[in-house]
Amino acid sequence: MDQVATAQVPANAAAEQPATLVAWPLRWALRVVLTAHTLAVLVQAAFAGRFMSGDFEMLRAHFVNSQVVGALGLAETALAVVYWRPGGGRGWPALACLGVSIAVPLQIASGIERVIGVHVPLALAIFATSTLLTVWSWRSTFGQRRAAAAPETT
Ligand code: HEM
């Protein structure tokens, strides 16, 4: 009888459990900050385009917005770390956000020093990473907690 009961339990029963979610304020905070960060980087490109067309006031706006990009990068990194631990979500976004947070000061320095050969490709790398993180944060699987460890069998 015991053997029959055991056989009826699917081998991947744990995988079929409904996913539990990271707390909603944390999910929404991370989602909103990631989205705002991507928009701020996009606005940076728009300011750059304007001042390269001769509107030199926009260089000031480009500088001021670089501080916004930096602040949002730090905020998303802090949130992504909490999302991972103790939040229970995936850990890789925290690493990706940390990479962005390290890249942005380099981006600001390369802008101030006018090292355009570094500045433009690094801007694209920051934008690509930020966009991927934002797309991830709007997917239906976003916010799922890591699978609980399988119970020990004796
Ligand atoms: C994460 C995005 C970006 C950040 C944080 C950033 C930051 C900066 C900063 C702080 C400066 C110096 C401003 C000043 O001296 O007052 C600068 C200059 C500049 N940036 Fe950016 N930037 C970003 C994206 C871009 C993009 C996408 C482009 C172009 C496609 C661009 C092109 C330039 C150029 C051409 C300069 C000025 C060079 C000069 O004065 O000769 N930047 N940037």
Side-chain angles (χ1 to χ4, degrees), residues 106-123:
L106 298 175
Q107 178 68 357
I108 292 173
S110 67
I112 290 171
E113 295 299 325
R114 284 140 174 72
V115 189
I116 301 302
V118 171
H119 196 69
V120 173
L122 191 54

Short mmCIF file of all heavy atoms in Angstrom, two decimals, residues 106-123:
data_model
loop_
_atom_site.label_atom_id
_atom_site.label_comp_id
_atom_site.label_asym_id
_atom_site.label_seq_id
_atom_site.Cartn_x
_atom_site.Cartn_y
_atom_site.Cartn_z
N LEU A 106 32.84 55.37 -13.73
CA LEU A 106 33.83 55.35 -14.83
C LEU A 106 33.30 56.16 -16.01
O LEU A 106 34.05 56.89 -16.68
CB LEU A 106 34.13 53.91 -15.27
CG LEU A 106 34.74 53.00 -14.21
CD1 LEU A 106 34.89 51.57 -14.75
CD2 LEU A 106 36.11 53.53 -13.79
N GLN A 107 31.99 56.04 -16.23
CA GLN A 107 31.34 56.77 -17.31
C GLN A 107 31.41 58.27 -17.05
O GLN A 107 31.72 59.07 -17.96
CB GLN A 107 29.87 56.30 -17.41
CG GLN A 107 29.05 56.99 -18.46
CD GLN A 107 29.48 56.64 -19.87
OE1 GLN A 107 30.45 55.91 -20.07
NE2 GLN A 107 28.79 57.17 -20.83
N ILE A 108 31.14 58.66 -15.81
CA ILE A 108 31.20 60.09 -15.45
C ILE A 108 32.64 60.61 -15.61
O ILE A 108 32.86 61.68 -16.20
CB ILE A 108 30.67 60.29 -14.01
CG1 ILE A 108 29.15 60.00 -13.99
CG2 ILE A 108 30.94 61.71 -13.52
CD1 ILE A 108 28.51 60.00 -12.63
N ALA A 109 33.60 59.81 -15.14
CA ALA A 109 35.01 60.24 -15.25
C ALA A 109 35.42 60.35 -16.71
O ALA A 109 36.08 61.33 -17.10
CB ALA A 109 35.90 59.25 -14.51
N SER A 110 35.01 59.39 -17.54
CA SER A 110 35.41 59.45 -18.96
C SER A 110 34.73 60.62 -19.66
O SER A 110 35.29 61.19 -20.61
CB SER A 110 35.10 58.13 -19.67
OG SER A 110 33.70 57.92 -19.76
N GLY A 111 33.53 61.03 -19.18
CA GLY A 111 32.87 62.21 -19.75
C GLY A 111 33.60 63.49 -19.37
O GLY A 111 33.88 64.33 -20.22
N ILE A 112 33.93 63.60 -18.08
CA ILE A 112 34.61 64.82 -17.61
C ILE A 112 35.99 64.94 -18.26
O ILE A 112 36.40 66.04 -18.66
CB ILE A 112 34.71 64.79 -16.06
CG1 ILE A 112 33.30 64.98 -15.47
CG2 ILE A 112 35.66 65.87 -15.55
CD1 ILE A 112 33.19 64.76 -13.97
N GLU A 113 36.66 63.80 -18.42
CA GLU A 113 38.01 63.82 -19.03
C GLU A 113 37.94 63.80 -20.56
O GLU A 113 38.97 63.79 -21.23
CB GLU A 113 38.82 62.60 -18.54
CG GLU A 113 39.12 62.61 -17.04
CD GLU A 113 39.96 63.82 -16.63
OE1 GLU A 113 40.82 64.25 -17.41
OE2 GLU A 113 39.73 64.35 -15.51
N ARG A 114 36.70 63.74 -21.11
CA ARG A 114 36.47 63.73 -22.56
C ARG A 114 37.19 62.58 -23.27
O ARG A 114 37.79 62.74 -24.32
CB ARG A 114 36.92 65.05 -23.18
CG ARG A 114 35.90 66.16 -22.90
CD ARG A 114 36.52 67.46 -22.59
NE ARG A 114 35.57 68.56 -22.44
CZ ARG A 114 34.74 68.72 -21.42
NH1 ARG A 114 34.65 67.80 -20.46
NH2 ARG A 114 33.96 69.77 -21.35
N VAL A 115 37.14 61.41 -22.66
CA VAL A 115 37.69 60.21 -23.30
C VAL A 115 36.53 59.56 -24.06
O VAL A 115 35.93 58.57 -23.60
CB VAL A 115 38.31 59.24 -22.26
CG1 VAL A 115 39.06 58.10 -22.96
CG2 VAL A 115 39.23 59.98 -21.31
N ILE A 116 36.19 60.13 -25.20
CA ILE A 116 34.96 59.75 -25.91
C ILE A 116 35.02 58.30 -26.42
O ILE A 116 33.99 57.62 -26.48
CB ILE A 116 34.71 60.75 -27.07
CG1 ILE A 116 34.58 62.17 -26.51
CG2 ILE A 116 33.44 60.40 -27.84
CD1 ILE A 116 33.50 62.37 -25.48
N GLY A 117 36.22 57.84 -26.73
CA GLY A 117 36.38 56.45 -27.21
C GLY A 117 35.96 55.43 -26.15
O GLY A 117 35.60 54.29 -26.49
N VAL A 118 36.02 55.80 -24.88
CA VAL A 118 35.53 54.94 -23.78
C VAL A 118 34.08 55.31 -23.47
O VAL A 118 33.22 54.45 -23.26
CB VAL A 118 36.41 55.11 -22.51
CG1 VAL A 118 35.79 54.39 -21.32
CG2 VAL A 118 37.81 54.60 -22.78
N HIS A 119 33.81 56.62 -23.48
CA HIS A 119 32.53 57.14 -22.99
C HIS A 119 31.32 56.61 -23.78
O HIS A 119 30.34 56.17 -23.17
CB HIS A 119 32.56 58.67 -23.06
CG HIS A 119 31.50 59.35 -22.28
ND1 HIS A 119 31.46 59.35 -20.91
CD2 HIS A 119 30.40 60.05 -22.67
CE1 HIS A 119 30.41 60.03 -20.50
NE2 HIS A 119 29.74 60.46 -21.56
N VAL A 120 31.42 56.61 -25.09
CA VAL A 120 30.25 56.20 -25.89
C VAL A 120 30.02 54.68 -25.81
O VAL A 120 28.89 54.25 -25.52
CB VAL A 120 30.35 56.73 -27.34
CG1 VAL A 120 29.23 56.16 -28.20
CG2 VAL A 120 30.27 58.26 -27.34
N PRO A 121 31.05 53.84 -26.01
CA PRO A 121 30.78 52.39 -25.86
C PRO A 121 30.32 51.99 -24.46
O PRO A 121 29.46 51.12 -24.30
CB PRO A 121 32.11 51.71 -26.21
CG PRO A 121 33.06 52.76 -26.58
CD PRO A 121 32.40 54.10 -26.52
N LEU A 122 30.89 52.65 -23.43
CA LEU A 122 30.49 52.31 -22.07
C LEU A 122 29.03 52.72 -21.83
O LEU A 122 28.27 52.01 -21.15
CB LEU A 122 31.42 53.00 -21.06
CG LEU A 122 31.32 52.55 -19.60
CD1 LEU A 122 31.48 51.04 -19.46
CD2 LEU A 122 32.35 53.27 -18.74
N ALA A 123 28.62 53.84 -22.44
CA ALA A 123 27.21 54.27 -22.33
C ALA A 123 26.29 53.19 -22.92
O ALA A 123 25.24 52.87 -22.35
CB ALA A 123 26.99 55.60 -23.05
#
